[in-house]
Amino acid sequence: MTLTELNTDEIMTPYPDKVKKNRKKHIVAKTGEAASCPQIEANTRTVPGIISQRGCCYAGCKGVVVGPIKDMITITHGPIGCGYYSWGTRRNKARADEKTPPEHLFGTMCFSTDMQESDIVFGGEKKLTKMIDEVVEIFHPRAINICSTCPIGLIGDDLSAVSKAAEAKHGIPVLHYNCEGYKGVSQSAGHHIANNQIMERIIGTGTDELEGDYIINILGEYNIGGDGWEIERILKDIGYNVNSILTGDSAYVNIKNLHKAHLNLVQCHRSINYIAEMMETKYGTPWLKVNFIGVEATIESLRDMAQCFGDEDLIARTEMVIERELAAISPELERYRKICEGKTAFAFVGGSRSHHYQYLLRDLGMEVVVAGYEFAHRDDYEGREVIPTIKSDADSKNIPELHLEPDPEMYEEPHLHLKMSKGKYDKMVEMGKLGNYDGMYPDMIDGSVMIDDPNHYETEELIEIFHPDLIFSGVRDKYISHKMGVPSKQMHSYDYSGPYAGFRGAIIFAQDVANALSTPAWKMITPPWEKDETGGDE
Ligand code: CFN
């Protein structure tokens, strides 16, 4: 069934009129008739009382963007729960390398000021200062992040003053983020705050001369389950020099030199588009939207990159690596494809994966019939060309933009290292020939549904209507589908599996999906709609 046939009102029946009016704007069905995406309401406040899947501003800043920087100590200034629950759950892996020895790896540790009642009453600045002193004395980090939680904003601790004093005392950068959980409407505000601070305080401060041609950064890749390493493996093989992956397995010492790269790749646009755009303004660094989730998508992204640099050798080497990788994975992929073909799925993830994973599922012959984002903005659904900038976005109102000018000393002619002029590049993007991973709607199949900030109740209703074979979601809604007899894969942390990116990742993903689809246990569960009212089977 498609949502057009169903009529959204039917799902919304139990809602009060006001809620119904609100939620209707967040659901869009794709019909063949609509030439472009109908407007979808996004990045607005969740209706209070609704069990949303969203996280908070602190989660977006600390958990998503700055937490994974492996050689910085990130202190959660707040009650212990915020630090504890954001500790280790995202599976952003990191390891030592020639610039970052093991004693500078802090990603597996959790640092928090553990604010108590008396600190809330009398203020937590002294406690934070003491913690910084201790952390420096014990661990000697290269730099420190301090992330605020809700109560810190409410009691008004002056993080700026504490950080400045600590910098003067210890001689290392101490960055603070006013990312109190309640700011904005979701994680998205936290991404923006983190992007601004990294741009202002870290990028551009490095003086290393990076060696070689084709120097790139991969922005918006967090190395969940090792995704970044698989991407890096492929790119290095082709001949690229990867300066830094932001922020998966990244180090402060590399991020300082981000501006020395020739091209920024943007994997997750939602969490890091701000840095990509600001770097283009300040340093002239061009950026390309890519997607390394899915075999075909990976191939297209690799070809796009080679096109940008325009070097014949690089193009030839790209094709060679593609051919070799395809030969290695195709037989196994085909085996799993036989199990997966024709099956349907839901994809409910944050702000980028619900779109990116549609390519990988399509490689397996599966289609996503309902896709939802927790906190995406309208351009993630509708595409940048439809909505170039949306000034009314809830989080942009709360977060001051950094107004950057080109830096005369560091600004390079855009596309200097690329064979393609800026004009040609822009034209090719416009024609959909490069960086074509923009907006989810164009990639959805006819009769499918896009839903913004889906909640527990709507998830149940949609499962009952569409009967998907598999649901990709997070830990909060995973068990809703399990109880309904539908298997679910965590798309945030991959349920201890991964990597899923690139070529080798596709095989691991295919195996996990095929396993989930073939597990007999799911057939033994009677879904609620097949039970009578007393809870017994009909
Ligand atoms: S790794 Fe990314 S890909 S950064 Fe973002 S929007 Fe989250 S933590 Mo969970 S899986 Fe998710 Fe995206 Fe970008 Fe992850 S879809 S919700 S804030 N996300």
Side-chain angles (χ1 to χ4, degrees):
M1 183 184 282
T2 68
L3 208 63
T4 27
E5 289 160 19
L6 170 81
N7 180 2
T8 19
D9 277 352
E10 231 170 278
I11 296 184
M12 312 269 163
T13 312
Y15 284 157
D17 284 348
K18 222 173 138 189
V19 178
K20 201 182 283 177
K21 203 172 146 210
N22 175 310
R23 287 301 303 156
K24 272 186 85 156
K25 294 186 215 150
H26 295 265
I27 304 181
V28 156
K30 179 155 182 175
T31 64
E33 297 132 39
S36 59
C37 180
Q39 184 171 325
I40 185 165
E41 187 126 317
N43 194 29
T44 54
R45 204 162 284 282
T46 303
V47 179
I50 275 185
I51 305 174
S52 161
Q53 301 164 349
R54 281 176 164 175
C56 66
C57 178
Y58 160 81
C61 179
K62 188 266 180 184
V64 174
V65 182
V66 305
I69 304 174
K70 61 186 174 185
D71 60 345
M72 289 180 87
I73 283 186
T74 299
I75 299 172
T76 296
H77 187 34
I80 193 65
C82 304
Y84 179 78
Y85 286 108
S86 58
W87 175 29
T89 51
R90 189 154 166 259
R91 303 188 65 242
N92 39 261
K93 297 185 170 197
R95 62 188 167 202
D97 56 37
E98 67 276 10
K99 282 195 183 170
T100 305
E103 63 272 23
H104 277 293
L105 291 184
F106 304 111
T108 53
M109 299 178 195
C110 176
F111 299 87
S112 169
T113 46
D114 183 18
M115 294 278 281
Q116 302 290 319
E117 250 174 64
S118 59
D119 304 317
I120 299 291
V121 174
F122 298 107
E125 292 171 12
K126 282 198 188 114
K127 201 169 188 185
L128 179 61
T129 303
K130 188 160 174 264
M131 172 142 208
I132 298 170
D133 292 347
E134 285 177 6
V135 150
V136 171
E137 194 187 324
I138 300 168
F139 297 102
H140 314 293
R142 293 161 170 166
I144 292 175
N145 292 315
I146 301 164
C147 292
S148 263
T149 57
C150 295
I152 304 310
L154 298 174
I155 64 175
D157 274 2
D158 188 348
L159 294 198
S160 171
V162 173
S163 315
K164 261 195 203 136
E167 284 191 352
K169 186 169 174 188
H170 299 295
I172 57 166
V174 179
L175 281 62
H176 70 281
Y177 304 82
N178 291 109
C179 56
E180 293 82 4
Y182 56 74
K183 270 198 181 151
V185 300
S186 68
Q187 292 95 312
S188 181
H191 301 150
H192 201 157
I193 289 168
N195 276 224
N196 283 359
Q197 193 70 320
I198 290 173
M199 185 70 199
E200 234 186 343
R201 295 290 319 271
I202 312 181
I203 299 169
T205 58
T207 49
D208 289 3
E209 283 311 322
L210 305 183
E211 282 167 23
D213 296 326
Y214 322 125
I215 303 170
I216 56 161
N217 301 309
I218 310 171
L219 309 185
E221 169 48 56
Y222 300 92
N223 204 28
I224 311 299
D227 276 352
W229 291 333
E230 164 65 359
I231 298 168
E232 206 174 3
R233 175 188 75 82
I234 302 165
L235 294 179
K236 279 186 173 167
D237 247 13
I238 293 175
Y240 293 101
N241 287 296
V242 181
N243 167 51
S244 181
I245 299 180
L246 229 62
T247 51
D249 195 21
S250 65
Y252 173 80
V253 283
N254 299 93
I255 300 175
K256 282 165 78 167
N257 297 306
L258 221 65
H259 60 299
K260 301 279 178 76
H262 303 149
L263 177 69
N264 277 332
L265 304 181
V266 178
Q267 167 71 23
C268 166
H269 179 252
R270 179 67 277 130
S271 59
I272 215 130
N273 59 323
Y274 317 98
I275 285 182
E277 283 167 19
M278 288 187 285
M279 282 185 69
E280 189 171 23
T281 306
K282 191 168 177 187
Y283 305 112
T285 317
W287 57 280
L288 178 72
K289 261 191 160 191
V290 290
N291 177 21
F292 293 112
I293 302 293
V295 177
E296 286 303 317
T298 299
I299 292 173
E300 197 181 322
S301 299
L302 294 175
R303 287 186 175 145
D304 280 359
M305 291 172 66
Q307 279 289 325
C308 285
F309 283 100
D311 185 301
E312 289 305 321
D313 278 354
L314 191 73
I315 292 171
R317 192 145 175 94
T318 301
E319 293 305 324
M320 213 180 75
V321 169
I322 291 172
E323 201 178 312
R324 188 197 64 195
E325 296 290 324
L326 275 182
I329 65 160
S330 294
E332 211 177 338
L333 201 65
E334 204 37 52
R335 233 185 21 246
Y336 294 124
R337 194 185 151 93
K338 286 198 182 106
I339 299 170
C340 303
E341 188 129 47
K343 299 282 196 296
T344 59
F346 283 8
F348 293 151
V349 212
S352 127
R353 296 188 166 185
S354 304
H355 179 203
H356 282 162
Y357 272 84
Q358 292 188 20
Y359 295 88
L360 184 46
L361 286 164
R362 220 159 266 166
D363 291 336
L364 300 176
M366 291 176 70
E367 282 298 345
V368 170
V369 287
V370 181
Y373 283 138
E374 289 170 33
F375 52 77
H377 298 202
R378 273 184 56 206
D379 54 343
D380 302 307
Y381 293 102
E382 301 173 42
R384 261 176 309 165
E385 273 145 47
V386 187
I387 342 157
T389 38
I390 309 162
K391 288 295 171 206
S392 63
D393 270 359
D395 76 6
S396 352
K397 272 188 257 167
N398 285 299
I399 301 147
E401 290 288 332
L402 289 184
H403 289 293
L404 297 169
E405 297 291 329
D407 182 325
E409 290 197 355
M410 290 193 251
Y411 188 89
E412 286 199 346
E413 194 52 41
H415 304 73
L416 182 73
H417 300 270
L418 311 186
K419 286 275 156 57
M420 210 180 280
S421 71
K422 178 147 175 60
K424 186 172 176 206
Y425 173 87
D426 289 344
K427 187 117 201 105
M428 286 184 81
V429 170
E430 202 181 305
M431 288 162 69
K433 290 191 174 161
L434 277 183
N436 192 23
Y437 294 98
D438 199 20
M440 179 153 75
Y441 186 83
D443 288 320
M444 298 286 296
I445 55 165
D446 203 20
S448 62
V449 173
M450 253 175 16
I451 180 165
D452 176 67
D453 188 17
N455 57 55
H456 183 148
Y457 164 72
E458 288 160 8
T459 303
E460 280 187 353
E461 290 296 299
L462 289 164
I463 293 175
E464 192 167 339
I465 294 162
F466 285 91
H467 295 295
D469 297 293
L470 189 52
I471 292 189
F472 295 99
S473 68
V475 72
R476 222 174 293 167
D477 43 329
K478 179 182 178 73
Y479 301 101
I480 301 173
S481 60
H482 280 193
K483 286 176 194 161
M484 297 172 100
V486 182
S488 165
K489 277 294 302 165
Q490 258 236 67
M491 201 39 85
H492 303 257
S493 69
Y494 304 161
D495 286 323
Y496 319 107
S497 187
Y500 286 163
F503 296 105
R504 293 184 186 169
I507 293 292
I508 301 171
F509 179 80
Q511 186 178 28
D512 287 351
V513 169
N515 281 348
L517 291 173
S518 348
T519 303
W522 304 113
K523 295 194 187 76
M524 296 172 190
I525 295 168
T526 309
W529 58 85
E530 282 175 18
K531 287 181 178 166
D532 64 24
E533 283 185 357
T534 57
D537 293 350
E538 266 172 11

